[in-house]
mmCIF file of all heavy atoms in Angstrom:
data_model
loop_
_atom_site.group_PDB
_atom_site.id
_atom_site.type_symbol
_atom_site.label_atom_id
_atom_site.label_comp_id
_atom_site.label_asym_id
_atom_site.label_seq_id
_atom_site.Cartn_x
_atom_site.Cartn_y
_atom_site.Cartn_z
ATOM 1 N N ALA O 1 -24.843 -7.793 78.832
ATOM 2 C CA ALA O 1 -25.392 -6.942 79.890
ATOM 3 C C ALA O 1 -26.495 -6.046 79.335
ATOM 4 O O ALA O 1 -26.433 -5.587 78.198
ATOM 5 C CB ALA O 1 -24.273 -6.090 80.486
ATOM 6 N N SER O 2 -27.521 -5.801 80.181
ATOM 7 C CA SER O 2 -28.657 -4.999 79.727
ATOM 8 C C SER O 2 -29.426 -4.460 80.929
ATOM 9 O O SER O 2 -29.188 -4.851 82.063
ATOM 10 C CB SER O 2 -29.591 -5.845 78.864
ATOM 11 O OG SER O 2 -30.059 -6.952 79.609
ATOM 12 N N ALA O 3 -30.350 -3.554 80.627
ATOM 13 C CA ALA O 3 -31.240 -3.019 81.651
ATOM 14 C C ALA O 3 -32.621 -2.847 81.041
ATOM 15 O O ALA O 3 -32.760 -2.571 79.849
ATOM 16 C CB ALA O 3 -30.719 -1.686 82.176
ATOM 17 N N SER O 4 -33.636 -3.021 81.882
ATOM 18 C CA SER O 4 -35.028 -2.876 81.451
ATOM 19 C C SER O 4 -35.786 -2.090 82.509
ATOM 20 O O SER O 4 -35.469 -2.152 83.690
ATOM 21 C CB SER O 4 -35.701 -4.234 81.287
ATOM 22 O OG SER O 4 -35.004 -5.042 80.381
ATOM 23 N N LEU O 5 -36.814 -1.393 82.056
ATOM 24 C CA LEU O 5 -37.678 -0.654 82.957
ATOM 25 C C LEU O 5 -39.114 -1.095 82.709
ATOM 26 O O LEU O 5 -39.580 -1.110 81.565
ATOM 27 C CB LEU O 5 -37.533 0.858 82.734
ATOM 28 C CG LEU O 5 -38.342 1.752 83.656
ATOM 29 C CD1 LEU O 5 -37.872 1.603 85.098
ATOM 30 C CD2 LEU O 5 -38.234 3.196 83.202
ATOM 31 N N PHE O 6 -39.794 -1.485 83.783
ATOM 32 C CA PHE O 6 -41.187 -1.919 83.716
ATOM 33 C C PHE O 6 -42.030 -0.971 84.557
ATOM 34 O O PHE O 6 -41.588 -0.504 85.596
ATOM 35 C CB PHE O 6 -41.351 -3.334 84.285
ATOM 36 C CG PHE O 6 -40.617 -4.393 83.525
ATOM 37 C CD1 PHE O 6 -39.266 -4.618 83.733
ATOM 38 C CD2 PHE O 6 -41.292 -5.182 82.614
ATOM 39 C CE1 PHE O 6 -38.601 -5.599 83.037
ATOM 40 C CE2 PHE O 6 -40.631 -6.172 81.913
ATOM 41 C CZ PHE O 6 -39.282 -6.384 82.122
ATOM 42 N N GLU O 7 -43.249 -0.731 84.101
ATOM 43 C CA GLU O 7 -44.190 0.037 84.902
ATOM 44 C C GLU O 7 -45.534 -0.667 84.865
ATOM 45 O O GLU O 7 -46.098 -0.895 83.792
ATOM 46 C CB GLU O 7 -44.327 1.463 84.391
ATOM 47 C CG GLU O 7 -45.194 2.324 85.288
ATOM 48 C CD GLU O 7 -45.178 3.795 84.905
ATOM 49 O OE1 GLU O 7 -44.636 4.143 83.843
ATOM 50 O OE2 GLU O 7 -45.721 4.582 85.682
ATOM 51 N N ASN O 8 -46.009 -1.041 86.039
ATOM 52 C CA ASN O 8 -47.282 -1.753 86.180
ATOM 53 C C ASN O 8 -47.372 -2.975 85.269
ATOM 54 O O ASN O 8 -48.381 -3.215 84.615
ATOM 55 C CB ASN O 8 -48.453 -0.803 85.928
ATOM 56 C CG ASN O 8 -48.484 0.330 86.923
ATOM 57 O OD1 ASN O 8 -48.147 0.147 88.082
ATOM 58 N ND2 ASN O 8 -48.859 1.501 86.458
ATOM 59 N N GLY O 9 -46.286 -3.742 85.209
ATOM 60 C CA GLY O 9 -46.269 -4.982 84.446
ATOM 61 C C GLY O 9 -46.013 -4.840 82.962
ATOM 62 O O GLY O 9 -45.963 -5.835 82.250
ATOM 63 N N GLN O 10 -45.844 -3.624 82.481
ATOM 64 C CA GLN O 10 -45.595 -3.391 81.055
ATOM 65 C C GLN O 10 -44.138 -2.974 80.842
ATOM 66 O O GLN O 10 -43.597 -2.183 81.618
ATOM 67 C CB GLN O 10 -46.503 -2.283 80.517
ATOM 68 C CG GLN O 10 -47.982 -2.578 80.639
ATOM 69 C CD GLN O 10 -48.400 -3.747 79.772
ATOM 70 O OE1 GLN O 10 -48.010 -3.863 78.618
ATOM 71 N NE2 GLN O 10 -49.207 -4.638 80.341
ATOM 72 N N ILE O 11 -43.523 -3.488 79.781
ATOM 73 C CA ILE O 11 -42.165 -3.087 79.455
ATOM 74 C C ILE O 11 -42.202 -1.667 78.906
ATOM 75 O O ILE O 11 -42.883 -1.384 77.920
ATOM 76 C CB ILE O 11 -41.526 -4.025 78.413
ATOM 77 C CG1 ILE O 11 -41.416 -5.439 78.983
ATOM 78 C CG2 ILE O 11 -40.150 -3.506 78.006
ATOM 79 C CD1 ILE O 11 -40.928 -6.465 77.984
ATOM 80 N N ILE O 12 -41.483 -0.780 79.553
ATOM 81 C CA ILE O 12 -41.408 0.614 79.122
ATOM 82 C C ILE O 12 -40.187 0.827 78.230
ATOM 83 O O ILE O 12 -40.250 1.501 77.214
ATOM 84 C CB ILE O 12 -41.324 1.561 80.345
ATOM 85 C CG1 ILE O 12 -42.507 1.350 81.267
ATOM 86 C CG2 ILE O 12 -41.213 3.006 79.922
ATOM 87 C CD1 ILE O 12 -43.838 1.642 80.636
ATOM 88 N N SER O 13 -39.061 0.250 78.657
ATOM 89 C CA SER O 13 -37.816 0.434 77.921
ATOM 90 C C SER O 13 -36.879 -0.718 78.234
ATOM 91 O O SER O 13 -36.859 -1.230 79.349
ATOM 92 C CB SER O 13 -37.170 1.762 78.330
ATOM 93 O OG SER O 13 -36.019 2.014 77.574
ATOM 94 N N CYS O 14 -36.105 -1.108 77.236
ATOM 95 C CA CYS O 14 -35.146 -2.188 77.401
ATOM 96 C C CYS O 14 -34.021 -1.983 76.392
ATOM 97 O O CYS O 14 -34.286 -1.691 75.228
ATOM 98 C CB CYS O 14 -35.835 -3.532 77.169
ATOM 99 S SG CYS O 14 -34.754 -4.940 77.418
ATOM 100 N N VAL O 15 -32.788 -2.103 76.844
ATOM 101 C CA VAL O 15 -31.668 -1.935 75.914
ATOM 102 C C VAL O 15 -30.484 -2.771 76.391
ATOM 103 O O VAL O 15 -30.247 -2.925 77.582
ATOM 104 C CB VAL O 15 -31.267 -0.435 75.768
ATOM 105 C CG1 VAL O 15 -30.713 0.119 77.055
ATOM 106 C CG2 VAL O 15 -30.301 -0.235 74.620
ATOM 107 N N SER O 16 -29.779 -3.317 75.422
ATOM 108 C CA SER O 16 -28.564 -4.064 75.694
ATOM 109 C C SER O 16 -27.389 -3.091 75.689
ATOM 110 O O SER O 16 -27.321 -2.184 74.866
ATOM 111 C CB SER O 16 -28.364 -5.134 74.621
ATOM 112 O OG SER O 16 -27.200 -5.872 74.881
ATOM 113 N N GLU O 17 -26.470 -3.279 76.604
ATOM 114 C CA GLU O 17 -25.326 -2.371 76.745
ATOM 115 C C GLU O 17 -24.500 -2.294 75.461
ATOM 116 O O GLU O 17 -23.977 -1.237 75.112
ATOM 117 C CB GLU O 17 -24.445 -2.832 77.910
ATOM 118 C CG GLU O 17 -23.345 -1.895 78.274
ATOM 119 C CD GLU O 17 -23.792 -0.658 79.026
ATOM 120 O OE1 GLU O 17 -24.980 -0.532 79.359
ATOM 121 O OE2 GLU O 17 -22.934 0.190 79.297
ATOM 122 N N GLU O 18 -24.426 -3.385 74.725
ATOM 123 C CA GLU O 18 -23.628 -3.382 73.491
ATOM 124 C C GLU O 18 -24.165 -2.417 72.441
ATOM 125 O O GLU O 18 -23.424 -1.960 71.579
ATOM 126 C CB GLU O 18 -23.519 -4.785 72.913
ATOM 127 C CG GLU O 18 -24.791 -5.308 72.295
ATOM 128 C CD GLU O 18 -24.627 -6.678 71.668
ATOM 129 O OE1 GLU O 18 -23.735 -7.452 72.054
ATOM 130 O OE2 GLU O 18 -25.415 -6.967 70.762
ATOM 131 N N ARG O 19 -25.450 -2.108 72.499
ATOM 132 C CA ARG O 19 -26.045 -1.162 71.542
ATOM 133 C C ARG O 19 -25.609 0.264 71.805
ATOM 134 O O ARG O 19 -25.648 1.100 70.908
ATOM 135 C CB ARG O 19 -27.572 -1.233 71.581
ATOM 136 C CG ARG O 19 -28.116 -2.567 71.182
ATOM 137 C CD ARG O 19 -27.765 -2.846 69.756
ATOM 138 N NE ARG O 19 -28.228 -4.166 69.369
ATOM 139 C CZ ARG O 19 -27.836 -4.772 68.279
ATOM 140 N NH1 ARG O 19 -26.984 -4.200 67.475
ATOM 141 N NH2 ARG O 19 -28.291 -5.967 67.997
ATOM 142 N N ILE O 20 -25.193 0.543 73.028
ATOM 143 C CA ILE O 20 -24.790 1.900 73.382
ATOM 144 C C ILE O 20 -23.271 2.055 73.364
ATOM 145 O O ILE O 20 -22.754 3.008 72.794
ATOM 146 C CB ILE O 20 -25.347 2.279 74.769
ATOM 147 C CG1 ILE O 20 -26.874 2.164 74.764
ATOM 148 C CG2 ILE O 20 -24.924 3.692 75.165
ATOM 149 C CD1 ILE O 20 -27.512 2.302 76.116
ATOM 150 N N ASN O 21 -22.557 1.087 73.955
ATOM 151 C CA ASN O 21 -21.099 1.229 74.011
ATOM 152 C C ASN O 21 -20.381 0.623 72.807
ATOM 153 O O ASN O 21 -19.173 0.747 72.679
ATOM 154 C CB ASN O 21 -20.536 0.659 75.317
ATOM 155 C CG ASN O 21 -20.639 -0.844 75.424
ATOM 156 O OD1 ASN O 21 -20.937 -1.553 74.467
ATOM 157 N ND2 ASN O 21 -20.403 -1.352 76.617
ATOM 158 N N ARG O 22 -21.125 -0.036 71.944
ATOM 159 C CA ARG O 22 -20.612 -0.595 70.676
ATOM 160 C C ARG O 22 -19.563 -1.696 70.871
ATOM 161 O O ARG O 22 -18.706 -1.901 70.028
ATOM 162 C CB ARG O 22 -20.046 0.506 69.774
ATOM 163 C CG ARG O 22 -20.954 1.719 69.589
ATOM 164 C CD ARG O 22 -22.336 1.403 69.136
ATOM 165 N NE ARG O 22 -22.361 0.969 67.752
ATOM 166 C CZ ARG O 22 -23.408 0.399 67.175
ATOM 167 N NH1 ARG O 22 -24.501 0.197 67.851
ATOM 168 N NH2 ARG O 22 -23.375 0.040 65.934
ATOM 169 N N ILE O 23 -19.642 -2.414 72.000
ATOM 170 C CA ILE O 23 -18.760 -3.554 72.247
ATOM 171 C C ILE O 23 -19.613 -4.811 72.177
ATOM 172 O O ILE O 23 -20.432 -5.064 73.056
ATOM 173 C CB ILE O 23 -18.071 -3.446 73.630
ATOM 174 C CG1 ILE O 23 -17.234 -2.173 73.698
ATOM 175 C CG2 ILE O 23 -17.216 -4.681 73.891
ATOM 176 C CD1 ILE O 23 -16.686 -1.882 75.085
ATOM 177 N N LYS O 24 -19.436 -5.595 71.118
ATOM 178 C CA LYS O 24 -20.247 -6.780 70.893
ATOM 179 C C LYS O 24 -20.127 -7.758 72.063
ATOM 180 O O LYS O 24 -19.038 -8.015 72.560
ATOM 181 C CB LYS O 24 -19.801 -7.454 69.595
ATOM 182 C CG LYS O 24 -20.729 -8.503 69.089
ATOM 183 C CD LYS O 24 -21.965 -7.890 68.523
ATOM 184 C CE LYS O 24 -22.808 -8.960 67.868
ATOM 185 N NZ LYS O 24 -24.156 -8.543 67.721
ATOM 186 N N PHE O 25 -21.263 -8.304 72.505
ATOM 187 C CA PHE O 25 -21.347 -9.264 73.609
ATOM 188 C C PHE O 25 -20.743 -8.704 74.906
ATOM 189 O O PHE O 25 -20.113 -9.427 75.666
ATOM 190 C CB PHE O 25 -20.678 -10.593 73.258
ATOM 191 C CG PHE O 25 -21.231 -11.245 72.033
ATOM 192 C CD1 PHE O 25 -20.419 -11.504 70.943
ATOM 193 C CD2 PHE O 25 -22.570 -11.585 71.952
ATOM 194 C CE1 PHE O 25 -20.930 -12.094 69.804
ATOM 195 C CE2 PHE O 25 -23.086 -12.180 70.820
ATOM 196 C CZ PHE O 25 -22.263 -12.430 69.744
ATOM 197 N N TYR O 26 -20.959 -7.422 75.165
ATOM 198 C CA TYR O 26 -20.392 -6.774 76.349
ATOM 199 C C TYR O 26 -20.812 -7.518 77.612
ATOM 200 O O TYR O 26 -21.968 -7.879 77.793
ATOM 201 C CB TYR O 26 -20.844 -5.318 76.440
ATOM 202 C CG TYR O 26 -20.355 -4.622 77.673
ATOM 203 C CD1 TYR O 26 -19.044 -4.169 77.750
ATOM 204 C CD2 TYR O 26 -21.180 -4.461 78.779
ATOM 205 C CE1 TYR O 26 -18.579 -3.554 78.896
ATOM 206 C CE2 TYR O 26 -20.722 -3.843 79.926
ATOM 207 C CZ TYR O 26 -19.414 -3.394 79.978
ATOM 208 O OH TYR O 26 -18.960 -2.788 81.118
ATOM 209 N N SER O 27 -19.862 -7.729 78.503
ATOM 210 C CA SER O 27 -20.111 -8.378 79.781
ATOM 211 C C SER O 27 -19.633 -7.456 80.890
ATOM 212 O O SER O 27 -18.497 -7.000 80.873
ATOM 213 C CB SER O 27 -19.353 -9.701 79.850
ATOM 214 O OG SER O 27 -19.569 -10.323 81.088
ATOM 215 N N GLY O 28 -20.520 -7.156 81.835
ATOM 216 C CA GLY O 28 -20.138 -6.287 82.939
ATOM 217 C C GLY O 28 -21.301 -5.417 83.372
ATOM 218 O O GLY O 28 -22.458 -5.687 83.052
ATOM 219 N N TRP O 29 -20.996 -4.385 84.107
ATOM 220 C CA TRP O 29 -22.019 -3.501 84.650
ATOM 221 C C TRP O 29 -22.632 -2.654 83.539
ATOM 222 O O TRP O 29 -21.917 -1.930 82.845
ATOM 223 C CB TRP O 29 -21.408 -2.615 85.723
ATOM 224 C CG TRP O 29 -22.395 -1.730 86.388
ATOM 225 C CD1 TRP O 29 -22.480 -0.380 86.260
ATOM 226 C CD2 TRP O 29 -23.444 -2.113 87.273
ATOM 227 N NE1 TRP O 29 -23.516 0.095 87.024
ATOM 228 C CE2 TRP O 29 -24.128 -0.944 87.655
ATOM 229 C CE3 TRP O 29 -23.887 -3.332 87.777
ATOM 230 C CZ2 TRP O 29 -25.216 -0.957 88.526
ATOM 231 C CZ3 TRP O 29 -24.960 -3.345 88.636
ATOM 232 C CH2 TRP O 29 -25.611 -2.180 89.005
ATOM 233 N N PRO O 30 -23.964 -2.690 83.349
ATOM 234 C CA PRO O 30 -24.612 -1.959 82.251
ATOM 235 C C PRO O 30 -24.937 -0.502 82.612
ATOM 236 O O PRO O 30 -26.081 -0.068 82.594
ATOM 237 C CB PRO O 30 -25.885 -2.768 82.010
ATOM 238 C CG PRO O 30 -26.226 -3.286 83.362
ATOM 239 C CD PRO O 30 -24.908 -3.566 84.034
ATOM 240 N N GLU O 31 -23.924 0.268 82.925
ATOM 241 C CA GLU O 31 -24.113 1.644 83.385
ATOM 242 C C GLU O 31 -24.852 2.507 82.361
ATOM 243 O O GLU O 31 -25.777 3.240 82.704
ATOM 244 C CB GLU O 31 -22.754 2.269 83.705
ATOM 245 C CG GLU O 31 -22.859 3.657 84.275
ATOM 246 C CD GLU O 31 -21.523 4.174 84.747
ATOM 247 O OE1 GLU O 31 -20.562 3.398 84.828
ATOM 248 O OE2 GLU O 31 -21.450 5.364 85.053
ATOM 249 N N LEU O 32 -24.449 2.408 81.103
ATOM 250 C CA LEU O 32 -25.093 3.223 80.066
ATOM 251 C C LEU O 32 -26.533 2.786 79.818
ATOM 252 O O LEU O 32 -27.401 3.619 79.550
ATOM 253 C CB LEU O 32 -24.283 3.158 78.775
ATOM 254 C CG LEU O 32 -22.847 3.693 78.861
ATOM 255 C CD1 LEU O 32 -22.096 3.422 77.568
ATOM 256 C CD2 LEU O 32 -22.843 5.163 79.209
ATOM 257 N N SER O 33 -26.798 1.496 79.909
ATOM 258 C CA SER O 33 -28.162 0.987 79.717
ATOM 259 C C SER O 33 -29.089 1.464 80.825
ATOM 260 O O SER O 33 -30.230 1.864 80.567
ATOM 261 C CB SER O 33 -28.169 -0.544 79.672
ATOM 262 O OG SER O 33 -27.454 -1.016 78.571
ATOM 263 N N ILE O 34 -28.605 1.415 82.058
ATOM 264 C CA ILE O 34 -29.411 1.893 83.187
ATOM 265 C C ILE O 34 -29.733 3.366 83.003
ATOM 266 O O ILE O 34 -30.879 3.795 83.139
ATOM 267 C CB ILE O 34 -28.681 1.634 84.517
ATOM 268 C CG1 ILE O 34 -28.544 0.136 84.768
ATOM 269 C CG2 ILE O 34 -29.400 2.321 85.673
ATOM 270 C CD1 ILE O 34 -27.616 -0.216 85.901
ATOM 271 N N LYS O 35 -28.713 4.126 82.654
ATOM 272 C CA LYS O 35 -28.903 5.563 82.443
ATOM 273 C C LYS O 35 -29.908 5.821 81.318
ATOM 274 O O LYS O 35 -30.801 6.658 81.440
ATOM 275 C CB LYS O 35 -27.560 6.211 82.110
ATOM 276 C CG LYS O 35 -27.599 7.693 81.961
ATOM 277 C CD LYS O 35 -26.206 8.240 81.674
ATOM 278 C CE LYS O 35 -26.270 9.739 81.458
ATOM 279 N NZ LYS O 35 -24.949 10.288 81.140
#
């Protein structure tokens, strides 16, 4: 699971949920990534 933010076609930010919650191969709603 992951979330990305684009502005005018450019990637501004992108992160995988596992990098924040420390659960390898996390599957589910990426609440922390969106935040």
Side-chain angles (χ1 to χ4, degrees):
S2 59
S4 303
L5 182 65
F6 297 82
E7 186 172 9
N8 298 325
Q10 300 294 316
I11 297 174
I12 303 298
S13 184
C14 182
V15 66
S16 181
E17 188 75 4
E18 72 177 25
R19 297 296 177 194
I20 302 171
N21 69 11
R22 311 307 289 167
I23 300 172
K24 193 73 173 160
F25 303 120
Y26 177 78
S27 179
W29 183 250
E31 184 173 349
L32 299 173
S33 296
I34 295 169
K35 184 178 177 182

